[in-house]
Amino acid sequence: MTLDLEAADRVLSGLRPFPVAITTVDGGFANGLVSLSAGAASIIPEAPRATISLTKYNRTHDMVLDSGIFVMHLLSAEDAQVDSSLEILKTLGGSSGRDGDKLSRLRTEPGVTGAPVLLDAHSYVEARVTGTLDVQESSIFVGDVVAAEVLHGGERLRIGPAWGKLPEEWIAQYEANHVPQLESARALRFGAQARR
Ligand SMILES: Cc1cc2nc3c(=O)[nH]c(=O)nc-3n(C[C@H](O)[C@H](O)[C@H](O)COP(=O)(O)O)c2cc1C
């Protein structure tokens, strides 16, 4: 049977509808990105775990690998907070920490691990990495949750409505940034196989 990419897309797309803002700090530099890969990773209610998948192309990937800590934030969809949510999404997801500091544009406070907590987020869990799976172009991190807080509450922002509210220029910039990221991912996946 051949691989039906349309069927694969029907199964896999939209499984994780909540964009999350991931932050970390490494060697005194704070950074973060936006991700749609976040999930829960523990069946033990008193010992929660969170999982994220970060692309090696992104600076946050190397920083989480080095520091072993991250904060995963949900964003708010409530009227009073949604502008702050979009600001977080645009700031962390629109450019790379390779090109300079992004976090100082957002309101933060250090969490228990020292990683920055975004004060305008809906809620967050802070985690220490307990396991990492290297999958060529990205790493899947699983972290023990060491702190958690609901900062604003209400409805959590979903990616569908969020895209509808983002400015066209920002989306164009995001799509342009995505091209080299995808090229890097393909090189790491298929380049590695070709060399075997
Ligand atoms: C909606 C959305 C979802 C994203 N999902 C991921 C993801 O799951 N993993 C990832 O590594 N990058 C993801 N990105 C891309 C990063 O947020 C983006 O490349 C960021 O600029 C990387 O910043 P950094 O180099 O400072 O880490 C996503 C971006 C957006 C806007």
Side-chain angles (χ1 to χ4, degrees):
M1 194 190 276
T2 56
L3 169 59
D4 182 342
L5 291 176
E6 229 172 89
D9 188 55
R10 286 279 296 278
V11 175
L12 298 173
S13 72
L15 282 180
R16 292 179 171 173
F18 297 107
V20 295
I22 309 287
T23 58
T24 191
V25 65
D26 185 38
F29 184 73
N31 192 37
L33 52 59
V34 171
S35 164
L36 272 178
S37 67
S42 169
I43 63 158
I44 308 172
E46 67 276 21
R49 282 180 167 164
T51 179
I52 51 174
S53 168
L54 301 185
T55 306
K56 290 182 181 173
Y57 181 82
N58 293 325
R59 183 166 184 183
T60 307
H61 169 276
D62 292 359
M63 293 177 63
V64 172
L65 199 62
D66 281 350
S67 68
I69 52 176
F70 64 87
V71 188
M72 176 209 288
H73 308 76
L74 273 297
L75 305 176
S76 172
E78 297 294 319
D79 286 348
Q81 281 298 124
V82 74
D83 285 349
S84 302
S85 300
L86 295 175
E87 210 43 55
I88 292 171
L89 212 154
K90 286 190 291 182
T91 303
L92 297 183
S95 64
S96 174
R98 288 187 306 274
D99 303 323
D101 169 49
K102 298 187 275 190
L103 257 294
S104 63
R105 287 181 253 156
L106 302 171
R107 294 195 320 123
T108 65
E109 248 176 30
V112 297
T113 64
V117 170
L118 299 171
L119 299 176
D120 291 313
H122 172 281
S123 51
Y124 70 89
V125 292
E126 187 171 358
R128 287 192 195 280
V129 174
T130 183
T132 303
L133 180 65
D134 182 320
V135 282
Q136 293 152 315
E137 74 273 22
S138 34
S139 298
I140 297 168
F141 298 99
V142 178
D144 283 324
V145 172
V146 294
E149 199 175 351
V150 175
L151 297 166
H152 292 281
E155 288 296 311
R156 297 174 297 181
L157 185 70
R158 287 169 182 264
I159 193 61
W163 274 124
K165 292 187 171 82
L166 287 164
E168 269 174 37
E169 317 83 72
W170 185 89
I171 293 176
Q173 179 64 49
Y174 167 76
E175 282 169 358
N177 290 346
H178 191 63
V179 174
Q181 189 164 162
L182 194 54
E183 274 169 14
S184 153
R186 286 191 175 120
L188 288 170
R189 176 88 68 95
F190 304 119
Q193 280 174 3
R195 279 199 297 275
R196 270 187 211 140

